[in-house]
Amino acid sequence: MNRIDRRFQALRRSGRKALIPYITAGDPHPERTVPMLHALVAAGADILELGVPFSDPMADGPVIQKACERALAQGMTLRRVLELVHEFRQTDSETPLVLMGYLNPIESFGYEAFVTAAAAAGVDGVLTVDLPPEEADELAAPLNAAGIAPIFLLAPTSSTARIRHTALLARGYLYYVSLKGVTGSAALNVAEVAAKLAEIRALTDLPLGVGFGINSPAAAAAVAAVADAVVVGSTLVSKMAERADAPDDMYRDVGEIIRAMRLAMDA
Amino acid sequence: MPNPVDFSQFPDHRGHFGRYGGRFVAETLMEALHELDDAWQACRNDPEFLAELDADLARYVGRPTPLYHAERWSRQLGGAQIYLKREDLNHTGAHKINNTVGQALLARRMGKTRLIAETGAGQHGVASATVAARLGMECVVYMGAEDIQRQALNVYRMRLLGATVQPVTSGSRTLKDALNEALRDWVTNVDDTFYMIGTVAGPHPYPLMVREFQAVIGREAREQMLADHGCLPDALVACVGGGSNAIGLFHPFLNDSSVAIYGVEAAGSGIASGRHAATLCAGRPGVLHGNRTYLLNDEHGQITETHSVSAGLDYPGVGPEHAWLKDIGRAHYVAVTDDEALRGFHDLTRTEGIIPALESSHALAYVTQLAPTLRPDQRIVVNLSGRGDKDIYTVAKLEGIQL
């Protein structure tokens, strides 16, 4: 059982839902990433999603596209992301950490080499946005062997057959994309989400996280009422961009967003 | 070849050509791709759909296009006889419309009311806007902000046709970024929107579907060659950016092992300069835009910027079937520089009175190397994929002429 499973088990025992912030590694500067991760944990994050920047993030909206561009301009690479994870693990051996990104940097690294390096750095899960279950065997096998959870997306349009197939391959949690669109869109319909989650729950015991379009404490609380985890990304990344020149303000203000969501979710 | 392959059996039902192709997209697009695949599979053998398509190709596009014997140019090069497949004579001036006519019919059958497309040079954008106008459908064309600057004529043409040209300012602001943005639009508006990809790349079924729509080029060329000369050509030559005109010519000949096949990429300022778009000649396999194929990317897997004098070849990926044909050795891929392509442009213009597109000029440039190595009784078919009117500003500017 890896850190993700242990965390969901503990949350379930205490009757709470997971709060999962996303930030892009290396944005706005590689030196800010590890302190930001620690600040997120201090503010109440349960699991961390760390974005691996890619030149062509086709499932992301403008906020995360720009974050990728800024990070790449700072020379961020998958290898350096793993170094940041390793650094984070020096002072936090408990909080689960999931890498989220696109397949090509991993292909370029080599699947086996990547999995070995990710395990050594302390990665607990890998969500590859453009790797659907049909194509995933080659990467999922070494991930599973190393105890790293392959995490997959489900969408409002996913059929029953696809949900079943995906749930068989997935470990850790399933990430439900709450709307038709890209990250950072703002058209969340909680009733629709609840209906789809009920359908998914009938087919799997994996925890269900919901992301895309959650941008306020109220939205986080509403989603937490029907899901096991709430993923927040673009809202944090926008705030980080606003505060890029004042790191301490950035850690504090981004932490505040998480703290407010945590309070609303636990209320 | 040691083990003959039946090329008509590829891709497999999941869109794989060997290890290339496939469907590498976010879950949010998977159902849309299934819906498209189902609709396409239902249409591709439906006599009514095919009759409608054939009628449009004949009466709207102007097919069949001639296979023209470039006698004077052949004599000048002093080798094989050169035949031009005149895709430049299609409505809108390039092969792109073969595909958009087909996809638009499919979109209408699927009940979609909104067409979106990506474009680099603007040829696919114009071909998309054209069929949208004809069918009375809304059309949004994504185009890199850089390309909008470079291709003002085609931008205006699309707007005249009633399309919205949406500038893309992310990433390198070129074709690959336009493709990303079109995918983002599609995922957001999937209920009423049909995404017309302009080349044989993208997630399955696009590489197959676009190939089938473009294969009319090779089917006609094969029939014309057999009717006129009673034999197959010895070699085929076509330029390769994404690779749709090339696969359209090549595919009906793949099982004819006597026919040598050459795809010509853009070497830009020279492969050694790093400023090029020669994906198959200088790239390596990776995953981008929904398929596994050869890519131009750095050691960390980040996609790199490309360069070619021809905007239509300026793409860091290539259709997955070409990647496979390269690996198994059925087709050969070479690259010619901007300067060589420009010489090809002028050669054809002056000797045959045909102004070729800069994309097609890459194929012509390679013909000038290949033809003299063959005998005068041998025949080369080269795909003249588009006409060069759109490029005269680029050519004039390179020669210091202000129009």
Side-chain angles (χ1 to χ4, degrees), chain B residues 140-222:
Chain B
V140 177
V141 179
Y142 289 92
M143 189 167 184
E146 284 294 315
D147 291 333
I148 286 180
Q149 295 277 320
R150 291 195 283 189
Q151 301 288 338
L153 191 65
N154 272 341
V155 173
Y156 184 56
R157 199 174 279 160
M158 286 183 267
R159 290 188 173 139
L160 282 176
L161 288 160
T164 303
V165 180
Q166 193 66 49
V168 177
T169 55
S170 57
S172 61
R173 304 149 69 97
T174 59
L175 176 57
K176 77 173 178 72
D177 309 285
L179 222 151
N180 292 332
E181 207 54 37
L183 285 166
R184 292 178 188 123
D185 178 314
W186 196 28
V187 88
T188 308
N189 302 296
V190 66
D191 294 331
D192 68 346
T193 297
F194 187 99
Y195 179 19
M196 299 208 282
I197 294 186
T199 192
V200 284
H204 179 66
Y206 283 102
L208 166 65
M209 180 172 70
V210 177
R211 178 190 86 195
E212 298 284 289
F213 287 136
Q214 291 294 2
V216 65
I217 302 171
R219 282 198 305 272
E220 283 178 8
R222 200 169 181 284

Side-chain angles (χ1 to χ4, degrees), chain A residues 189-199 226:
Chain A
N189 180 326
V190 177
E192 280 176 19
V193 170
K196 190 73 183 183
L197 290 187
E199 185 191 331
V226 297

Side-chain angles (χ1 to χ4, degrees), chain B residues 222-252:
Chain B
R222 200 169 181 284
E223 280 166 24
Q224 289 164 324
M225 203 35 115
L226 287 170
D228 294 352
H229 306 286
C231 64
L232 293 172
D234 297 279
L236 307 175
V237 180
C239 65
V240 177
S244 71
N245 91 80
I247 214 75
L249 175 65
F250 297 168
H251 196 265

Side-chain angles (χ1 to χ4, degrees), chain A residues 5 7 38 46 60 62 74 85 111 113 117 149 160 186 205 209 239 257 261 266:
Chain A
D5 304 322
R7 181 58 54 105
H38 287 307
D46 299 295
D60 285 299
Q74 303 282 341
V85 175
Y111 288 173
T160 303
D205 294 330
K239 183 60 78 180
I257 297 174
M261 287 185 168
D266 292 348

Side-chain angles (χ1 to χ4, degrees), chain B residues 93-132:
Chain B
H95 70 290
K96 291 290 185 190
I97 194 139
N98 300 330
N99 172 43
T100 57
V101 159
Q103 289 200 41
L105 287 179
L106 184 59
R108 197 175 60 181
R109 281 224 172 178
M110 292 173 73
K112 306 289 183 183
T113 55
R114 182 171 173 269
L115 298 178
I116 59 170
E118 83 295 336
T119 198
Q123 289 304 102
H124 174 58
V126 167
S128 299
T130 298
V131 296

